[in-house]
Amino acid sequence: MESILVLTHVDESGNTLTRGSLEAVMAGQELAGRLSASLAIAIVAADPRAAAPVLAGTNARLLGVSGAAFAQPRYVSDAAACEALCRTAQATIVLAPSSSRFARVAAGVSHRLGGVIDTHITAIADGDSVQVARWFYRQRIEVVLSREQRPWFVLLDGGACASFASAPGPVNVEQVPVELPSLRTTVTGLRTPTQDTETIRPDAKLLFVAGAGWTKKQPDGLAHVDEAAQLILRFLRAYGASLGSSKSVVDQGSDGHSVLPFLTHLNQIGQTGATPRHPKGLSTCCYGEEPHVVGWRFVGQRRAISLDPNCGWTRGKADVVYIADAFKVMDRVNAILEEKS
Ligand SMILES: Cc1cc2nc3c(=O)[nH]c(=O)nc-3n(C[C@H](O)[C@H](O)[C@H](O)COP(=O)(O)OP(=O)(O)OC[C@H]3O[C@@H](n4cnc5c(N)ncnc54)[C@H](O)[C@@H]3O)c2cc1C
């Protein structure tokens, strides 16, 4: 019989489980229920008891490591913690969120335990056996696979499952001792960009895509790149959206054309860019060509603003297309949002 362990960790506050962790808990609960397998949930944190009460409704065995060494991500301490937790749970299947913290250590831990790992898993299939799905070849081919080897580590992509939620209650967290090797790395603190400079926000409800049209000559015969930059930044600030772009607009930077200064290839969505997950997407000044739209595979509701009534979006690639001037529309939208806040 399978024994399932869900590895979780806390966020920067130190006392709340990350969203990815709660998604992994949900996946673990569903899988354990379906296979009638045992379920354990482990917390990596300085004080796991602070975060544990939200897991009261899982009725799972709760394990934790504690101590200052686990307050912040670091390969040597996190790998030692995860190894100790897996050994204690005697897990055959280990589910974990694909966070930077766990993605860094999971392969190493699986190797230490003689196991096998699959990453970027987007679904666990229904049925009596364990089958997981992931996309290959730039999200074009979905493969469903299963493995005989145990322990099997499965790293779940963010947004692949709903988050576990239940009323907090009293819980008992078994403390698992960890023998730490000498720590060569000292974490001195965290430096993160401010809200204004951080434009890629995987957790945002909305993906706002800027296309090359923002930098092109407009009906008055002039380009208005500064105005475009202000309109986009105002919207990102007011709505908290994540910023994506087409390839054309970011390529212009390397071609020496005037370009939106805050866009890099990291913002690029598409075949040769990213495939983010957001409930909604709004494309602006972008044609909606297939190599771009393929990156929208996991965006729920799609809307576009384009001057071109024959653009790709109007050919079944968006749910709603506004044939309009994005400069005017976004100015009005920003005014409404700013008025509200
Ligand atoms: C192998 C390969 C891989 C590729 N990979 C990618 C990829 O990963 N991602 C990607 O994005 N592209 C990719 N491309 C390029 C892709 O095919 C397109 O060339 C690119 O997406 C076009 O960008 P765009 O729509 O922003 O620009 P354009 O095609 O120039 O479209 C600009 C649009 O803005 C509209 N517009 C202008 N002004 C306004 C206004 N005021 N209001 C509203 N609309 C306005 C215009 O009507 C036009 O439709 C790839 C191409 C190849 C060959």
Side-chain angles (χ1 to χ4, degrees):
M1 195 169 90
E2 302 285 9
S3 156
I4 296 164
L5 171 68
V6 181
L7 289 174
T8 68
H9 64 82
V10 289
D11 64 13
E12 282 149 28
S13 72
N15 47 32
T16 309
L17 291 180
T18 60
R19 195 182 80 175
S21 294
L22 291 171
E23 290 173 2
V25 167
M26 187 67 143
Q29 233 200 354
E30 281 173 8
L31 186 63
R34 189 148 47 78
L35 302 177
S36 305
S38 65
L39 175 66
I41 302 170
I43 304 172
V44 177
D47 179 8
R49 288 166 309 176
V54 295
L55 301 175
T58 60
N59 295 320
R61 179 185 180 194
L62 300 185
L63 306 171
V65 294
S66 57
F70 308 111
Q72 284 182 329
R74 170 179 35 212
Y75 187 91
V76 70
S77 43
D78 282 349
C82 292
E83 183 184 350
L85 291 163
C86 291
R87 288 193 192 282
T88 303
Q90 299 203 314
T92 57
I93 296 179
V94 181
L95 302 179
S98 199
S99 58
S100 59
R101 185 166 190 173
F102 280 165
R104 185 163 37 185
V105 298
V109 176
S110 130
H111 182 71
R112 288 180 193 185
L113 296 169
V116 63
I117 182 165
D118 284 291
T119 59
H120 290 295
I121 297 305
T122 53
I124 303 178
D126 279 346
D128 298 340
S129 62
V130 188
Q131 294 187 322
V132 298
R134 70 160 289 177
W135 293 81
F136 288 92
Y137 190 42
R138 294 230 167 253
Q139 327 293 353
R140 289 209 192 107
I141 301 170
E142 189 186 23
V143 170
V144 177
L145 56 100
S146 62
R147 293 196 185 268
E148 297 289 319
Q149 199 175 333
R150 299 289 186 266
W152 184 14
F153 283 69
V154 174
L155 281 195
L156 295 161
D157 266 0
C161 313
S163 286
F164 176 79
S166 82
V171 287
N172 175 35
V173 181
E174 291 173 45
Q175 292 295 323
V176 174
V178 182
E179 223 172 279
L180 281 175
S182 69
L183 302 179
R184 284 187 308 175
T185 308
T186 309
V187 181
T188 55
L190 272 182
R191 251 192 274 168
T192 50
T194 62
Q195 177 83 351
D196 277 4
T197 50
E198 178 67 86
T199 59
I200 299 172
R201 300 170 182 151
D203 289 340
K205 285 195 199 116
L206 181 91
L207 170 71
F208 178 90
V209 161
W214 283 108
T215 62
K216 299 260 168 81
K217 283 186 185 164
Q218 293 301 307
D220 61 1
L222 300 170
H224 297 275
V225 182
D226 290 344
E227 191 189 338
Q230 288 314 314
L231 284 170
I232 294 167
L233 289 176
R234 268 173 68 202
F235 179 73
L236 295 183
R237 216 170 287 134
Y239 199 85
S242 187
L243 179 64
S245 72
S246 68
K247 186 172 182 333
S248 293
V249 70
V250 284
D251 279 354
Q252 286 176 14
S254 40
D255 291 344
H257 294 279
S258 63
V259 73
L260 300 167
F262 42 80
L263 284 178
T264 72
H265 279 100
L266 290 176
N267 295 92
Q268 185 181 318
I269 308 296
Q271 182 185 335
T272 45
T275 315
R277 286 158 197 278
H278 297 277
K280 291 182 180 180
L282 176 62
S283 155
T284 55
C285 295
C286 169
Y287 181 86
E289 282 212 54
E290 185 57 24
H292 173 73
V293 179
V294 74
W296 284 62
R297 188 182 290 276
F298 302 120
V299 175
Q301 192 194 95
R302 304 169 179 191
R303 297 192 178 204
I305 307 171
S306 173
L307 281 178
D308 182 357
N310 291 315
C311 70
W313 298 113
T314 61
R315 298 170 193 220
K317 289 182 175 148
D319 301 297
V320 179
V321 184
Y322 305 97
I323 305 302
D325 183 339
F327 281 80
K328 290 188 184 144
V329 176
M330 293 317 297
D331 191 39
R332 184 78 193 104
V333 169
N334 285 339
I336 294 169
L337 287 173
E338 286 159 3
E339 215 174 274
K340 275 193 184 166
S341 66

